[in-house]
Amino acid sequence: LSGDPHTPLSDGNGKVSRVIRIGTRKSQLARIQTDSVADKLKELYPDVHLEIVAMSTTGDKILDTALSKIGEKSLFTKELENALEKNEVDLVVHSLKDLPTTLPPGFTIGAVLKRENPHDAVVLHPKHAGKTLDTLPENSVIGTSSLRRAAQLKKRFPHLDFKDIRGNLNTRLKKLDDKDDFSAIILAAAGLRRMGWDDRISQILGPEDCMYAVGQGALAVEVRARDADILEMVSVLHDPDTVLRCIAERAFLKRLEGGCSVPVAVHTQVKDCQLYLTGAVYSLDGSESLKETMQTSIKVDEQVQRVGVTAAKIPGDAQDRAEKLGADLADLLLGKGAKEILTVARQLNDAR
């Protein structure tokens, strides 16, 4: 598209309509997630022409290194944000858990969509069909590239052996099925469900086995913070409960300064106008952990960003309380020694 990205296009009937370009990663899951957002926007705004622009990101290219070792928060988002900044695209769809808690200046999350199941799932090697993590044989090898998953599961299932596995969903499933290296792999249930691979989910891990990552299962639409019209357009996609839960989770992580390279896990619930947040930090082997739960009332219109999220339609005081809940819970854990646990985890991981 040449010239000004905001040049309206005529649809031939003399009716003018604008082109909105959506940036996405090239992986199949990213495309599916982006298409689902595009479909929702098409339904709501039939006159808008949507174009999808796919690009490769650093995270997609560096496949031989564990994520936590690369140490770059914006691994899957940098190229997409560059395109956003240069006006090559108008919005970008991400998995919220890939977005750092502080966005680069000029960007904001304009929509957080209704959350898919946020829990982790066990996918078994076909030869172990019918088993669970509990019943897998001693020293079975479980693939996960997440320090958060490994730390919790090592403690909970000491008879299992955990090893790194990288690659997108397709690659990981192939590595599991085609070789005998892994007895099972742990993946986000949300991604498997979006891919239509529900039948591969052998077990969903509840919070007592494995709490999830901040923002897991939620899609986020990132836009230029100054684009009022685009912000307004995507804001209808916001799911209020998901927004408040994810603001609390992101505020918790931000105060702890956690990211891909430290084991931090959360669990949130909205019930009877109360927002419940459980947060935990772990040593790499899960032997040390701190876990607490707090709640706040979210009963309840201004334009403020909170940990990178702009949600004008959701009562500001509810958002403020969600953000404070996350920070307060982090402070509670920090007071009990969370900083030390995370520092050691980070140092050990860097030395691996």
Side-chain angles (χ1 to χ4, degrees):
L1 200 71
S2 59
D4 176 14
H6 301 303
T7 313
L9 287 193
S10 164
D11 62 2
N13 312 327
K15 200 163 137 197
V16 169
S17 92
R18 180 169 165 193
V19 173
I20 305 282
R21 289 140 317 148
I22 309 181
T24 176
R25 286 166 64 190
K26 279 187 172 152
S27 78
Q28 189 186 352
L29 178 60
R31 292 299 309 256
I32 287 172
Q33 295 183 162
T34 301
D35 289 343
S36 77
V37 171
D39 292 344
K40 286 194 173 70
L41 287 172
K42 271 196 191 105
E43 238 171 82
L44 293 157
Y45 306 102
D47 291 346
V48 171
H49 282 273
L50 296 173
E51 263 173 38
I52 292 176
V53 182
M55 40 196 128
S56 284
T57 68
T58 314
D60 296 313
K61 292 170 192 149
I62 313 177
L63 287 176
D64 49 356
T65 317
L67 281 183
S68 61
K69 292 294 288 176
I70 306 169
E72 170 59 77
K73 278 255 192 70
S74 51
L75 214 52
F76 294 112
T77 56
K78 199 154 218 60
E79 281 84 350
L80 298 167
E81 281 174 345
N82 288 345
L84 201 50
E85 189 163 34
K86 297 207 288 254
N87 273 334
E88 291 165 8
V89 298
D90 302 300
L91 45 119
V92 176
V93 178
H94 302 280
S95 293
L96 181 58
K97 78 176 163 102
D98 289 339
L99 279 173
T101 50
T102 304
L103 300 184
F107 301 105
T108 190
I109 296 165
V112 179
L113 284 77
K114 190 170 172 54
R115 198 171 207 167
E116 174 55 271
N117 183 328
H119 295 281
D120 289 319
V122 179
V123 180
L124 292 169
H125 189 286
K127 71 175 184 207
H128 290 302
K131 291 200 167 71
T132 63
L133 290 185
D134 267 320
T135 57
L136 278 173
E138 191 83 21
N139 300 332
S140 294
V141 176
I142 312 298
T144 173
S145 55
S146 152
L147 299 180
R148 171 189 59 80
R149 289 173 185 149
Q152 294 179 80
L153 297 173
K154 277 175 187 169
K155 175 95 168 100
R156 180 80 177 72
F157 304 98
H159 68 292
L160 302 174
D161 204 3
F162 292 86
K163 290 211 166 41
D164 270 330
I165 185 167
R166 275 290 322 276
N168 60 37
L169 279 183
N170 308 55
T171 320
R172 289 191 211 188
L173 280 175
K174 208 168 160 45
K175 282 182 185 170
L176 171 70
D177 292 344
D178 295 357
K179 294 207 200 68
D180 257 347
D181 298 357
F182 298 101
S183 299
I185 56 178
I186 313 291
L187 298 166
L192 289 163
R193 291 174 67 158
R194 290 192 183 112
M195 295 284 272
W197 293 340
D198 308 55
D199 58 333
R200 288 305 307 264
I201 298 178
S202 318
Q203 182 183 1
I204 297 262
L205 296 170
E208 61 294 333
D209 288 333
C210 192
M211 297 205 306
Y212 42 83
V214 166
Q216 185 160 319
L219 295 183
V221 181
E222 188 180 19
V223 300
R224 290 179 289 270
R226 60 169 194 277
D227 267 357
D229 51 344
I230 298 264
L231 251 174
E232 175 66 24
M233 179 176 142
V234 301
S235 70
V236 295
L237 301 172
H238 266 310
D239 175 67
D241 279 5
T242 306
V243 171
L244 294 172
R245 289 169 64 187
C246 290
I247 283 178
E249 292 172 18
R250 284 170 64 82
F252 173 71
L253 182 64
K254 184 178 183 172
R255 181 64 61 97
L256 288 174
E257 292 172 19
C260 266
S261 51
V262 289
V264 173
V266 293
H267 180 79
T268 45
Q269 215 185 347
V270 172
K271 211 164 122 196
D272 306 327
C273 292
Q274 292 285 313
L275 170 61
Y276 297 86
L277 169 65
T278 303
V281 302
Y282 303 90
S283 58
L284 285 192
D285 64 358
S287 61
E288 282 187 88
S289 64
L290 290 167
K291 178 170 144 188
E292 294 289 347
T293 303
M294 290 174 85
Q295 69 191 81
T296 189
S297 155
I298 47 168
K299 219 183 174 96
V300 267
D301 190 309
E302 78 297 37
Q303 191 81 344
V304 190
Q305 277 203 48
R306 291 173 188 79
V307 276
V309 183
T310 301
K313 307 257 192 307
I314 295 162
D317 55 340
Q319 294 183 63
D320 287 337
R321 282 202 289 270
E323 187 173 22
K324 185 174 182 310
L325 178 68
D328 287 351
L329 185 67
D331 286 339
L332 180 63
L333 293 187
L334 288 168
K336 291 174 182 256
K339 186 62 104 206
E340 292 67 29
I341 292 178
L342 292 179
T343 302
V344 172
R346 200 177 269 123
Q347 287 164 345
L348 282 175
N349 185 54
D350 290 347
R352 281 202 304 179

